[in-house]
Amino acid sequence: MVTGIQYDGMKNVLETANKEDNRGYWDVYWDRPFTNITDDEQSSDSKHAFKLSGTEFKVIVQNDNQVEIAFVTLWNGAGFPLNVDKSVEAKITGYGSLGLRHGIRLSNSLLYIMLRGSSGFYSYAIFERSTGMPEVNIYQARIAFKLQNKFRYMAISDKRQRVMPTAKDRRNGQPLDYPEAVRFSRPGNPSLNGEVDDKYQYSCDHKDNQVHGWISDNPRSVGFWIITPSNEFRTGGPLKQELTSHVGPTVLSMFVSTHYAGINLGMKFRNGELWKKVFGPVFVYLNSASNNDRSSLWHDAKSQGYQFWTQADREGNFVIKGIRPGLYNLFAWVPGVIGDYKYDPSVEVASGSNIRLDNLVYEPPRTGPTLWEIGTPDRVAAEFFVPDPNPALENHLYDSFDKFRQYGLWNRYAEIYPRQDLVYTVGVSNHSRDWFFAHVTRREGDGKYTAATWKILFEIKAVNRAGNYTLRVALASANEAELQVRINNESGPPIFSTGLIGKDNAIARHGIHGLYWLYGIVVPGFQLYEGRNTIFLTQSRGSSPFKGLMYDYIRLETTWVDKQYRLRKQYKTH
C-alpha cells in the first residue's frame, strides 16, 4: 500500500482521514466460476474485491539514482489464486519521499521504482498462475489513489476540465437510477446546485487516455497525475473505454475491466492454465506552479507521456516499434469503412528483427452497390441525434461538447416519441436529426420499460425478386439486447435475430460506444416490393432502461448484376 506521498511542502497528498489501505493501492475484482451456471448468469454477489498487499518485500535496485522495491505475495491455497509481484519504481527528488507498507497474502509481485531528478514514481505488477491453482474469473485490475480533498480541479483532456464537487456533496446529493449517479441539492459550491455527477461521465477511450489527474490550489498549485507511458499491457484495444479520475478525489489506472464491454473482456482461467503478464508501468507524476497556473501544470503533465497506438498515414504507411518477441496477429480497421482486417498468416517477431510486410490490401465486405445508408461507419454513434438533457439533470461541463455524456438521455426517447416509435424515411430524414443515438426501451406511464420497434421506409423502383439483397448492420454498442429484423411484415417471424448479445452498459455509463458488432443479413428479393418498403428493427428485450443498442451504420446492398462492371475500392497499407 502507498500510505503517503510527500511533495513540495505537502506532508501527504493522499487522504490521511482514510485508513492506510485506502489511500494508494492495487486491487482486483474476481470470483471462482460455478459449474452449474453460465458466466452470463454469474451473480455479482459472488464477486470479491481484493486489495493486493505483500507479505514480503525485496529491494531490486538501490543506488544513488534509482530505488526499486518489490512486494511479493505467493498464493497459499486460499483467497485470490494468482501469484502477484508488485513493483514500485519511484523517482527521487530533492523534496519528494514515498511511504510504503506491506500487508496480506496472495501470489503476486507489485513493484515501485523511483528515479533521481523526476518528481514521481513508476508502478507495475506481475500476475502469474502456476500449476495447481484453481479456476478463476478476473473482472477488474487497477491501481487507485485517494487524494486530499484540497484537490478540487480535475483534468482529463484539453476540454474536459473543471472545478469538481466534493465527496461530501455526493453524500448529500439525491440518488438517481443507479448508485454512481447523484443530483446535487446542497453542494458547497453553489454553482453546482442541481447538476448531476457520475464517475462514468469521465470515462475515456484507451487511445485518448495518456494523462489525467487533479490540481490543488491551496496554498499553491500542485498537480497529481497518472500517466500511461505505453498501451501494450491494456486489454480491449484503442476504442476500449475506461474510468479515469472522478469525485473523491480519486485517480485510477485501469488495466483490466469489463466496463463498456461485459464479460467478453474479463479474464477466465480454466483447467490449470499457466499464465503470466506484466501490467504497467504507469507513472504517478507530481508538479507545481508558484502562480496558481493550472494550464501550465496540465501541459507539463501532457509533455511527460508517450504512446504506442499506431495510425497509418494518408498513404497507408505505418511502423510499430518496441514489440516484444513472440507470435502475433495483425489487425486493422479503417475509419469510414465497415469490418476488420486481419493479416494472414501470423507475424513472428524475433529480438532485434525488422519486418516488412509489403502491401496489405483490405477488401471490405460487400455484395453489390449501395441502395441507401444511414450513419457513418466509424464505430461510434456520435453522428446521430443526441438530445438535450433534462434541465434538472445537467452536468454543465458538457453543455457545448460530448453531449452524450449527460445523465438520463435514455428517458428522453419516450418524451421525443410519445405516441409511436422512431420512423426514418430514406431520402427525406436526416440521421443527425431523425435517428436517435440509442435504440433504448420505451418508458411507459406506469414506469415500466417495454421493447421498441423502429421503422426504416424506403423506395425501390425495380426489384430483383430472384436475387438476394444484403442488409449490413454495424452496432456500436449492445447491452443485454436482441435485435430482430423484419421486412414488410411487423407481426411476422424475423428474417434475422442477433439473439441475446452484449453487456457493455454504455447507455447507462454515458459512452457513445461499447464493443463493435457487424452483421450481414440476407434479404430475399421476393420479400421486397417495387415502391414503398419497410424494415422493422425491434430491440425485443424490455424491462430496463439500460437494455438497448447503439447503431454505428446501416446499409442496404443489391447484388452485382454483371461482375464485369463491379467496382471495388481497395484500402492499402504498407
Side-chain angles (χ1 to χ4, degrees):
M1 305 301 172
V2 180
T3 64
I5 300 174
Q6 180 179 336
Y7 176 77
D8 198 19
M10 296 182 69
K11 291 184 178 180
N12 196 345
V13 302
L14 303 182
E15 181 51 78
T16 55
N18 289 2
K19 293 181 179 179
E20 288 190 337
D21 68 352
N22 191 31
R23 299 178 187 176
Y25 57 87
W26 284 73
D27 69 2
V28 293
Y29 199 54
W30 68 283
D31 67 12
R32 299 272 178 83
F34 295 108
T35 57
N36 60 337
I37 64 173
T38 67
D39 288 314
D40 278 334
E41 296 171 326
Q42 195 96 337
S43 169
S44 60
D45 295 337
S46 68
K47 299 171 185 174
H48 313 287
F50 186 78
K51 291 182 178 176
L52 304 180
S53 302
T55 54
E56 60 182 85
F57 77 94
K58 52 188 176 183
V59 177
I60 308 299
V61 176
Q62 181 180 5
N63 57 48
D64 289 344
N65 295 310
Q66 178 177 341
V67 174
E68 181 173 355
I69 307 170
F71 294 84
V72 180
T73 322
L74 299 178
W75 183 61
N76 63 358
F80 179 54
L82 279 188
N83 296 324
V84 182
D85 195 331
K86 283 191 294 189
S87 205
V88 180
E89 187 170 353
K91 299 192 169 182
I92 300 173
T93 68
Y95 46 77
S97 63
L98 178 70
L100 301 169
R101 288 192 59 179
H102 60 281
I104 306 182
R105 59 177 181 271
L106 180 49
S107 159
N108 64 76
S109 183
L110 303 181
L111 299 100
Y112 297 83
I113 304 169
M114 297 190 80
L115 305 176
R116 178 172 297 281
S118 183
S119 57
F121 60 91
Y122 290 92
S123 183
Y124 66 96
I126 303 170
F127 285 27
E128 182 175 11
R129 275 180 59 85
S130 55
T131 303
M133 288 188 176
E135 297 182 341
V136 64
N137 299 325
I138 300 177
Y139 303 95
Q140 176 175 288
R142 66 180 182 177
I143 188 170
F145 294 93
K146 307 292 181 66
L147 306 181
Q148 293 272 6
N149 62 17
K150 63 177 62 178
F151 286 85
R152 296 288 179 86
Y153 189 85
M154 188 181 76
I156 298 170
S157 71
D158 290 338
K159 285 187 175 182
R160 301 171 70 188
Q161 302 184 16
R162 72 174 303 182
V163 174
M164 292 291 286
T166 66
K168 182 179 179 181
D169 292 335
R170 283 188 56 86
R171 290 193 297 269
N172 293 334
Q174 171 193 352
L176 297 174
D177 284 359
Y178 45 86
E180 292 85 354
V182 300
R183 181 174 184 265
F184 299 126
S185 55
R186 306 190 302 275
N189 182 348
S191 68
L192 299 176
N193 190 50
E195 284 199 38
V196 168
D197 178 78
D198 180 345
K199 67 181 181 181
Y200 293 108
Q201 291 179 318
Y202 309 110
S203 297
C204 187
D205 287 353
H206 278 334
K207 65 180 176 61
D208 303 318
N209 185 4
Q210 279 84 57
V211 56
H212 61 89
W214 292 79
I215 295 173
S216 167
D217 292 325
N218 181 18
R220 56 180 293 185
S221 291
V222 170
F224 185 100
W225 313 97
I226 281 190
I227 296 172
T228 305
S230 64
N231 296 293
E232 72 278 356
F233 50 82
R234 285 171 160 169
T235 60
L239 293 184
K240 173 66 167 65
Q241 293 186 87
E242 277 300 357
L243 297 171
T244 57
S245 294
H246 58 80
V247 170
T250 299
V251 195
L252 303 170
S253 183
M254 307 293 301
F255 299 102
V256 175
S257 89
T258 56
H259 297 143
Y260 301 96
I263 61 171
N264 290 332
L265 262 65
M267 299 190 296
K268 305 173 187 177
F269 299 102
R270 302 290 186 267
N271 303 320
E273 179 182 0
L274 302 180
W275 174 78
K276 185 176 183 179
K277 183 175 175 65
V278 177
F279 290 106
V282 295
F283 181 31
V284 177
Y285 178 66
L286 290 91
N287 57 6
S288 60
S290 58
N291 57 354
N292 290 335
D293 184 358
R294 296 168 178 165
S295 177
S296 67
L297 296 184
W298 167 247
H299 288 290
D300 173 62
K302 283 205 306 178
S303 70
Q304 311 293 320
Y306 56 92
Q307 60 175 316
F308 284 120
W309 300 123
T310 297
Q311 182 170 333
D313 63 22
R314 291 187 176 185
E315 301 300 320
N317 301 300
F318 69 92
V319 177
I320 304 177
K321 298 180 179 180
I323 303 174
R324 293 183 58 183
L327 194 64
Y328 292 86
N329 292 314
L330 176 67
F331 294 91
W333 64 278
V334 182
V337 179
I338 62 172
D340 292 298
Y341 170 80
K342 180 183 179 182
Y343 177 72
D344 196 19
S346 299
V347 180
E348 185 169 5
V349 178
S351 179
S353 63
N354 187 356
I355 301 171
R356 181 178 176 84
L357 298 179
D358 297 319
N359 288 343
L360 310 178
V361 179
Y362 173 48
E363 295 187 29
R366 180 177 284 280
T367 57
T370 298
L371 289 178
W372 52 261
E373 59 187 350
I374 301 173
T376 303
D378 56 3
R379 303 185 181 226
V380 299
E383 71 269 29
F384 298 123
F385 175 69
V386 179
D388 292 330
N390 183 325
L393 299 173
E394 284 189 84
N395 181 324
H396 292 303
L397 175 61
Y398 300 115
D399 283 347
S400 60
F401 69 99
D402 285 0
K403 191 161 52 172
F404 60 84
R405 299 188 189 278
Q406 295 282 6
Y407 176 85
L409 299 183
W410 49 85
N411 285 329
R412 296 299 326 276
Y413 175 75
E415 297 170 6
I416 295 171
Y417 300 95
R419 295 180 179 83
Q420 65 174 13
D421 287 318
L422 182 149
V423 178
Y424 187 93
T425 302
V426 173
V428 177
S429 301
N430 183 307
H431 69 259
S432 64
R433 182 186 63 238
D434 302 313
W435 189 272
F436 201 76
F437 79 102
H439 193 158
V440 294
T441 52
R442 169 179 288 279
R443 183 174 185 173
E444 304 293 354
D446 58 1
K448 295 181 180 179
Y449 291 85
T450 60
T453 297
W454 292 8
K455 299 176 185 178
I456 303 174
L457 309 181
F458 62 98
E459 301 272 346
I460 301 181
K461 292 182 179 179
V463 176
N464 179 9
R465 297 186 64 81
N468 290 326
Y469 294 71
T470 302
L471 183 68
R472 306 278 179 195
V473 178
L475 301 179
S477 166
N479 186 62
E480 296 183 340
E482 179 177 359
L483 176 63
Q484 297 176 349
V485 180
R486 293 174 174 83
I487 303 292
N488 289 325
N489 184 355
E490 185 174 2
S491 61
I495 65 167
F496 172 81
S497 173
T498 62
L500 181 63
I501 59 170
K503 294 196 74 172
D504 61 35
N505 212 15
I507 294 171
R509 291 174 173 174
H510 327 292
I512 202 63
H513 71 88
L515 295 184
Y516 179 70
W517 307 74
L518 177 62
Y519 300 96
I521 303 165
V522 175
V523 180
F526 64 82
Q527 292 193 1
L528 297 174
Y529 306 137
E530 291 187 355
R532 174 61 61 90
N533 291 267
T534 304
I535 290 177
F536 300 93
L537 301 176
T538 302
Q539 196 296 98
S540 63
R541 306 284 176 147
S543 77
S544 163
F546 308 127
K547 293 184 178 183
L549 309 162
M550 293 184 193
Y551 296 95
D552 168 40
Y553 177 69
I554 302 176
R555 180 173 76 206
L556 182 64
E557 302 170 2
T558 185
T559 54
W560 299 107
V561 177
D562 187 343
K563 290 188 178 181
Q564 181 180 354
Y565 296 102
R566 177 175 177 180
L567 301 176
R568 177 187 301 171
K569 187 172 183 180
Q570 296 181 343
Y571 297 86
K572 294 184 179 180
T573 59
H574 307 280

